[in-house]
Amino acid sequence: MVRKVSIFGSTGSIGCNTVDLILRHPDSYDVVVLTGGRNVTLLAQQAKATGAGLAVTAFEDCYDPLAEALEGSGIEIAAGPDALIEAADRPADWIMSAIVGAAGLAPGLHALRHGTTLALANKESLVTAGPLMLFEAKKHGATIIPVDSEHSAIFQALVGEDINAVERIVITASGGAFRDWSLDRLKTATLEQASNHPNWDMGQRITIDSASLFNKAMELIETKEFFGVHPDQIEAVIHPQSLVHALVGFTDGGLMAHLGPPDMRHAIGYALHWPDRRHVPVDRLDLVQIGQLEFRAADPDRYPALALSRFVMQTGGLSGAAFNGAKEAALNAFIAGNIGFLEMARVVEGVLEQIDAENGHNSAMITLDNVVQMDHLARNSAAEIIRKIAR
Ligand code: NDP
């Protein structure tokens, strides 16, 4: 049976891996929509290679270059945030949500309203609006399959299990680029150094978030939202090899671990073929060659992002939207060279404190409008703090 599929964020790291898997079995898929941002050359190439019906760039000023690159192809084109929403309304059996940042939330929500199967890589959706995503999925009979490797691992470990029999969930963190650096040395970390991940090949923003453990902080929140467990049941440990992605502990003391190579095509392939398992072209682990698996505690002094995520998990409401907006603003400021690596956590902490004192985080309902409003508030508050500490 040919499945209709769409890929939001096809030009990114997750998107390219998804296109790679689709192109290995082109007769099995009818590609409805591909979306990208500024990389219109790649978007046009992918659209031609997959025979996509529609190619959308998120930016209106990229319309002309995209039109030029696709001239004569017969592929429909569109541009801008509204075009992304309209593209999400196009019927598809399976949709990959792999736009980076809060911009991924609205298209994913729209896709859920059509009862689709949503492969969810965009972690900001669950962090900013987890209850809304789950509500919409339930209301419209849609299915969300997590694509983040840790959440895919938990999802797989829970097949056939009762969530009430879960005692704890452990997600692993590689520790990123700076896992062996001292706190003093971390103060001097540069953008170039933070952008090199020892194990995974990912987009730049998530690579930097891996070094600061903001990525892990997001994943703790995602775990609470998606699996509905209490924050005290979720922990993160450093596992430098990135082979064990997560473990689920049950009431009988058993611990189910999920192992796989650090290659996102495993989790993407699982989500693509779910509920079946099919061949996915990733390396197979050689356990004897690996020899030993290493785990260590995550040092809270070096990774303040983890404590901030605990605050968000306990506070709930719109605190996830505030956390994410502040984190994105702080990351932009680090990338622009305006603040240091450790100052990103200071900015997020300042924003959470300020918003909590002024508005409270959980006073408003989690609707798309309220999430967007909180995101703006957090970014403005972050901008003020960044101005004060900018070098
Ligand atoms: P990338 O930065 O590699 O790609 C992001 C995609 O989003 C690109 O297609 C980009 O377009 C597009 N994009 C950028 N800005 C906008 C915008 N404002 N509106 C719409 N589209 C936009 O990201 P990743 O693939 O690394 O990550 C995607 C998501 O998946 C993130 O939420 C990330 O946290 C999550 N994730 C990623 C993993 C990974 O291994 N990379 C693992 C687990 C989760 P263009 O490049 O053309 O500008």
Side-chain angles (χ1 to χ4, degrees):
M1 195 187 74
V2 176
R3 293 171 77 203
K4 285 177 179 290
V5 300
S6 292
I7 306 170
F8 284 71
S10 67
T11 52
S13 165
I14 293 284
C16 287
N17 279 317
T18 311
V19 171
D20 173 77
L21 292 181
I22 300 271
L23 283 177
R24 285 166 194 265
H25 303 281
D27 297 339
S28 302
Y29 304 103
D30 172 8
V31 177
V32 181
V33 175
L34 294 183
T35 86
R38 301 218 163 268
N39 195 346
V40 290
T41 309
L42 178 58
L43 180 59
Q45 268 170 20
Q46 291 177 329
K48 285 181 195 164
T50 57
L54 168 68
V56 184
T57 159
F59 303 107
E60 268 144 28
D61 59 330
C62 291
Y63 181 92
D64 288 344
L66 182 62
E68 201 177 306
L70 283 174
E71 200 178 347
S73 67
I75 296 168
E76 205 184 327
I77 55 169
D82 291 344
L84 282 180
I85 304 288
E86 280 165 34
D89 286 332
R90 297 223 172 169
D93 303 308
W94 186 90
I95 296 182
M96 167 57 80
S97 166
I99 287 174
V100 67
L105 173 61
L109 270 176
H110 275 260
L112 288 176
R113 289 174 186 155
H114 295 280
T116 192
T117 296
L118 187 73
L120 187 62
N122 175 269
K123 53 187 73 192
E124 295 81 1
S125 294
L126 284 177
V127 171
T128 61
L132 181 60
M133 292 289 288
L134 297 192
F135 172 80
E136 294 289 350
K138 195 167 174 197
K139 184 171 167 194
H140 300 284
T143 305
I144 303 176
I145 311 289
V147 171
D148 225 338
S149 58
E150 293 75 5
H151 306 87
S152 172
I154 300 164
F155 190 83
Q156 294 180 50
L158 283 174
V159 171
E161 303 289 350
D162 178 357
I163 191 75
N164 295 313
V166 171
E167 216 167 50
R168 63 179 173 142
I169 293 179
V170 185
I171 61 174
T172 60
S174 68
F178 306 136
R179 63 185 169 218
D180 298 317
W181 286 34
S182 68
L183 194 55
D184 264 352
R185 197 172 165 211
L186 276 180
K187 289 179 191 148
T188 67
T190 65
L191 175 61
E192 201 190 342
Q193 289 163 332
S195 304
N196 278 316
H197 199 286
N199 304 343
W200 295 91
D201 180 13
M202 308 185 286
Q204 186 191 36
R205 298 180 75 83
I206 186 172
T207 301
I208 300 168
D209 282 349
S210 294
S212 61
L213 256 65
F214 263 111
N215 181 46
K216 211 47 54 184
M218 306 264 288
E219 290 173 3
L220 289 170
I221 302 167
E222 277 183 277
T223 304
K224 180 216 153 201
E225 297 298 347
F226 189 77
F227 297 101
V229 290
H230 191 275
D232 293 347
Q233 290 175 280
I234 313 167
E235 50 193 285
V237 296
I238 302 288
H239 168 51
Q241 293 141 307
S242 297
L243 299 175
V244 179
H245 302 307
L247 307 95
V248 179
F250 295 94
T251 41
D252 61 1
L255 204 51
M256 298 271 271
H258 176 278
L259 281 79
D263 184 332
M264 283 309 294
R265 288 177 305 171
H266 169 74
I268 297 167
Y270 181 82
L272 182 61
H273 301 131
W274 178 89
D276 301 329
R277 281 191 188 268
R278 303 239 175 100
H279 178 268
V280 175
V282 296
D283 290 344
R284 272 45 182 166
L285 295 185
D286 180 336
L287 294 177
V288 174
Q289 198 184 20
I290 293 162
Q292 289 184 343
L293 294 171
E294 185 188 345
F295 300 95
R296 6 173 161 135
D299 175 359
D301 290 336
R302 292 178 56 205
Y303 301 119
L306 295 180
L308 296 173
S309 76
R310 294 263 160 221
F311 171 82
V312 171
M313 286 194 284
Q314 274 141 15
T315 308
L318 293 170
S319 63
F323 173 86
N324 186 66
K327 196 261 326 172
E328 287 195 13
L331 181 58
N332 291 341
F334 174 66
I335 291 173
N338 295 333
I339 61 172
F341 181 75
L342 288 179
E343 284 161 350
M344 286 189 283
R346 269 179 61 195
V347 172
V348 178
E349 186 178 6
V351 171
L352 288 174
E353 276 169 6
Q354 194 174 329
I355 290 181
D356 204 32
E358 286 171 11
N359 309 65
H361 287 112
N362 43 10
S363 48
M365 291 259 301
I366 303 184
T367 61
L368 185 54
D369 283 351
N370 286 343
V371 167
V372 170
Q373 223 170 35
M374 180 56 86
D375 181 76
H376 286 161
L377 200 63
R379 284 172 200 264
N380 288 341
S381 164
E384 257 174 53
I385 299 173
I386 290 164
R387 256 195 306 277
K388 281 184 200 146
I389 59 177
R391 319 134 181 233

